[in-house]
Amino acid sequence: MPLLQLILVALIQGITEFLPVSSSGHLILLPSLTGMEDQGQAIDVAVHVGTLAAVVLFFWSDVREAILGLPRALTGRIDTVGARLALGLIVATIPTVIFGAALHFTGLSDALRSITVIGWTMLIFGIVLYVADQRGSSHKTASDWGPKDALIMGLWQMLALIPGTSRSGITITGARGLGYNREDGARIAMLMSIPTIIASGLLLGTEVALNADVGLMRDMGIAALLAMVSALAALALMMRLLKSVSFTPYVIYRVVLGIVLLIIAYQ
């Protein structure tokens, strides 16, 4: 892959993965609007590994709690913060894994990769995020997160498999609708991305591993590193801005981009 395209793909994935603007939508738009070749599954896996590393590093204290609590959660002893968090992440991931497998093995995941679909999802789910953010209360914090809320947010997250929806955006929408404050809602949404990215990486990675060569491995390493660095920067910026700014700037971006894409699609 040309170095410029490799850099663009990594930066787009890293910056947009955790912002509520849809990384998958932007990655599909890159070749659609520029004429570049699709980056392929191998680079998709690499940039996902990079963003996975970024979110694990950024929220390491929470990740460590969940890892330590996982054995207790798996044995039904939900008596620590870590066990409660681990259980929540497991419950929240199940709907996405089931829906993702259905889309993958039926071929519908490829059928949804179009400018028209991305335009509508950008627009519609941008407006839904705005309504949830403006009308949602802020009486809940991360400590209130349990299996029931995890399942509800997991069902919201499931919709992110439709390109243009945005995994972080739709889970934040669910969190705000449930009454979580902006910072903790975003924090939960980011933690929910970890098992989801792992599941996605395993699904795609098994197909890539058998066909990788030295040149491809080099490209994957570069892409993963750039995606990790850009994702860390995007995460730090968003979490800092949420102390004083709502999600409205992201909504405006989504609505404008959605309208532009629909104009292009229907012309």
Side-chain angles (χ1 to χ4, degrees):
M1 179 179 290
L3 183 59
L4 176 59
Q5 184 179 358
L6 193 64
I7 293 171
L8 285 174
V9 169
L11 292 180
I12 289 172
Q13 169 68 19
I15 292 170
T16 60
E17 174 66 29
F18 301 116
L19 300 183
V21 295
S22 178
S23 61
S24 63
H26 283 78
L27 287 177
I28 293 170
L29 289 176
L30 180 63
S32 298
L33 298 180
T34 64
M36 293 180 177
E37 292 186 11
D38 189 278
Q39 64 274 3
Q41 283 191 345
I43 300 302
D44 278 348
V45 170
V47 294
H48 276 79
V49 169
T51 52
L52 174 64
V55 73
V56 168
L57 288 172
F58 194 86
F59 293 104
W60 174 243
S61 60
D62 293 306
V63 172
R64 182 176 179 275
E65 285 275 12
I67 292 173
L68 293 176
L70 183 60
R72 304 185 74 82
L74 292 176
T75 54
R77 294 175 293 167
I78 316 302
D79 53 359
T80 66
V81 173
R84 185 181 177 88
L85 177 58
L87 177 63
L89 293 176
I90 292 170
V91 171
T93 305
I94 292 172
T96 304
V97 170
I98 294 173
F99 189 47
L103 290 179
H104 180 76
F105 292 112
T106 59
L108 286 175
S109 56
D110 292 329
L112 293 172
R113 294 168 67 91
S114 73
I115 291 179
T116 305
V117 170
I118 296 170
W120 280 115
T121 51
M122 279 282 180
L123 180 61
I124 292 171
F125 289 115
I127 294 171
V128 173
L129 172 59
Y130 178 79
V131 172
D133 187 41
Q134 295 299 311
R135 294 188 178 181
S137 63
S138 299
H139 65 281
K140 288 185 179 180
T141 64
S143 61
D144 297 311
W145 201 54
K148 181 181 178 181
D149 285 357
L151 178 59
I152 293 172
M153 289 181 65
L155 292 171
W156 278 99
Q157 181 177 243
M158 182 178 70
L159 298 175
L161 295 173
I162 304 171
T165 301
S166 171
R167 195 213 57 79
S168 61
I170 202 68
T171 48
I172 289 170
T173 298
R176 293 292 292 132
L178 289 169
Y180 288 89
N181 65 60
R182 289 189 180 108
E183 287 183 71
D184 281 5
R187 176 181 160 199
I188 294 169
M190 298 308 111
L191 291 172
M192 282 174 58
S193 74
I194 295 174
T196 303
I197 294 174
I198 291 174
S200 173
L202 288 174
L203 181 63
L204 297 176
T206 52
E207 299 176 9
V208 170
L210 299 175
N211 301 308
D213 55 28
V214 175
L216 181 58
M217 292 298 291
R218 179 202 62 213
D219 285 357
M220 290 175 68
I222 294 171
L225 179 61
L226 289 174
M228 181 187 73
V229 173
S230 55
L232 277 171
L235 266 174
L237 179 61
M238 186 182 76
M239 297 305 292
R240 182 175 180 180
L241 288 177
L242 286 181
K243 297 180 184 295
S244 56
V245 180
S246 70
F247 291 104
T248 301
Y250 304 111
V251 171
I252 293 172
Y253 174 80
R254 288 183 64 106
V255 169
V256 171
L257 179 58
I259 292 172
V260 170
L261 292 176
L262 288 175
I263 291 172
I264 294 172
Y266 288 108
Q267 282 183 342

